[in-house]
């Protein structure tokens, strides 16, 4: 799948912050920097009061800062920012809008770092390294106090981070592997995950637990609840069983549920008939599928929302730690 950039983010933003050699200016100068770079003001949370920002620690400098890095050949600023955030934190993000620009002289020439307000949608895991050995989610005020540089502090304090609350991410998760219903002799609603399905559930929890999920909803069927139970436990929340995600759910009930979760970062776990129907409804509402259609057990569709659902992209089932899943493939 492609890393996401919201369509409205291109171009400038009124009041965009620019600092040049210690001065704050109203907009970016026309002179091209010797060293272009990009970074992110990555926020999670669903209300202005609960927003947190990601900051990183660089052992080489002994500092805390917003994640950033230099543009590589052939990259534009947004691609650089998304890559750097992923490399330094393990977070896959989508860009909300430009946040600010820091321009300052270095021994190698004038450096310009363009920052973007971002929302995370998935975590692929953090590995400490030579460049970054730690990263934290902190409330805005605590992050502003901890960062080492005035520009980072000013960007955190002056950016309208509450704007990111309007940008919703919904994860449609199909339950993990649960064997063959034809070989199950009890009530099918009671059919549990297999060992492979439990490993998929644990992997899904690792991928989604650090992105600011506020609600975990599931079909009442045991295999669905078990798929997202590890995630709920990590989050310190509970799984909300909802009949609107059960097999055979009506289009009207699915629409009502989508309206209900709009404005939050939610995980919905359901079945092989409900998820395709949900995507059909979303396509009818103007969603653009950014991936080929698929709906394997343990897979996830990520749907982004900005005053109406916009895009959806597919993540195949997590690779089985006991060996690659037979139905695992990239889209």
């Amino acid at each position: 799948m492609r890393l996401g950039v919201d369509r409205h983010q291109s171009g400038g933003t009124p009041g965009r912050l620019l600092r040049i050699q210690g001065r704050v200016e109203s907009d970016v100068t026309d002179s091209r920097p010797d060293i272009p770079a990009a970074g992110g003001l990555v926020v999670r949370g669903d209300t202005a009061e609960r927003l947190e920002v990601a900051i990183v620690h660089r052992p080489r400098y002994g500092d805390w800062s917003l994640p950033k890095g230099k543009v590589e050949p052939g990259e534009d600023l947004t691609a650089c920012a998304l890559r750097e955030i992923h490399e330094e934190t393990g977070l896959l993000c989508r860009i909300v809008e430009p946040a600010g620009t820091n321009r300052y002289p270095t021994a190698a020439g004038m450096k310009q770092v363009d920052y973007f307000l971002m929302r995370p949608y998935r975590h692929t895991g953090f590995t400490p390294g030579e460049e970054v050995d730690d990263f934290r989610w902190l409330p805005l005020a605590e992050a502003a106090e901890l960062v080492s540089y005035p520009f980072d502090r000013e960007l955190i304090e002056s950016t309208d981070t509450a704007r990111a609350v309007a940008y919703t991410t919904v994860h449609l998760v199909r339950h993990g592997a649960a064997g063959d219903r034809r070989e199950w002799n009890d009530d099918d609603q009671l059919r549990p995950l297999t060992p492979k399905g439990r490993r998929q559930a644990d992997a899904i929890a690792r991928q989604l637990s650090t992105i600011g999920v506020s609600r975990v909803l599931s079909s009442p069927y045991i295999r669905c609840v078990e798929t997202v139970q590890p995630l709920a436990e990590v989050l310190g929340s509970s799984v909300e069983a909802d009949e609107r995600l059960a097999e055979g759910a009506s289009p009207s009930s699915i629409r009502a549920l989508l309206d209900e979760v709009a404005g939050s970062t939610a995980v919905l776990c359901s079945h092989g008939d409900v998820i395709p129907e949900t995507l059909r409804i979303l396509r009818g509402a103007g969603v653009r599928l950014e991936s080929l259609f698929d709906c394997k057990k343990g897979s996830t569709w990520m749907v982004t929302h900005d005053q109406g659902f916009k895009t959806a992209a597919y993540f195949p089932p997590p690779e089985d730690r006991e060996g690659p899943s037979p139905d695992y493939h990239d889209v």
Side-chain angles (χ1 to χ4, degrees), residues 148-297:
S148 305
Y149 303 106
F151 176 86
D152 290 12
R153 184 173 304 111
E154 189 170 2
L155 190 66
I156 293 170
E157 293 175 341
S158 65
T159 301
D160 184 10
T161 48
R163 288 173 58 84
V165 174
Y167 298 85
T168 302
T169 302
V170 175
H171 299 270
L172 302 174
V173 178
R174 186 178 178 190
H175 65 76
D180 190 335
R181 73 173 68 211
R182 294 170 296 185
E183 300 176 1
W184 179 256
N185 297 321
D186 205 339
D187 183 345
D188 188 59
Q189 295 190 37
L190 302 178
R191 180 157 51 96
L193 296 178
T194 63
K196 173 183 173 181
R198 290 193 291 273
R199 291 191 295 270
Q200 290 174 328
D202 289 339
I204 290 168
R206 289 192 297 270
Q207 293 167 343
L208 301 181
S209 61
T210 64
I211 62 172
V213 171
S214 57
R215 296 184 66 185
V216 180
L217 298 94
S218 171
S219 161
Y221 287 44
I222 294 298
R223 56 188 178 273
C224 290
V225 174
E226 289 183 343
T227 298
V228 291
Q229 185 64 46
L231 171 63
E233 291 176 357
V234 172
L235 296 175
S237 63
S238 59
V239 178
E240 302 175 44
D242 197 309
E243 290 288 346
R244 292 172 292 184
L245 292 169
E247 284 188 343
S250 68
S252 61
S253 64
I254 295 171
R255 289 190 184 93
L257 181 58
L258 291 174
D259 287 342
E260 179 183 315
V261 300
S264 67
T265 303
V267 173
L268 313 181
C269 186
S270 191
H271 304 268
D273 63 330
V274 177
I275 291 176
E277 178 64 19
T278 303
L279 290 171
R280 186 191 67 79
I281 292 170
L282 293 172
R283 288 187 69 182
V287 164
R288 183 180 70 256
L289 299 187
E290 295 188 337
S291 307
L292 299 176
F293 179 79
D294 211 338
C295 188
K296 303 254 183 222
K297 292 178 181 177

Side-chain angles (χ1 to χ4, degrees), residues 2 24 27 59 70 102 104 114 118 125 134 136 153 176 180 198 202 222 234 236 281 298-299 303 310 322-323 331:
R2 297 192 308 237
V24 176
D27 208 345
K70 298 176 184 177
N102 192 14
Y104 52 93
D114 286 270
M118 299 184 183
D134 193 11
R136 298 180 185 177
R153 184 173 304 111
D180 190 335
R198 290 193 291 273
D202 289 339
I222 294 298
V234 172
I281 292 170
S299 65
V303 183
K310 297 297 185 182
E322 296 296 319
V331 174

Side-chain angles (χ1 to χ4, degrees), residues 54-56 67 84-91 123 125-126 132 135:
I55 61 173
V56 299
E84 286 290 342
I85 300 306
H86 184 229
E87 290 179 355
E88 295 192 357
T89 67
L91 294 168
H123 192 221
F126 172 73
V132 172
F135 101 92

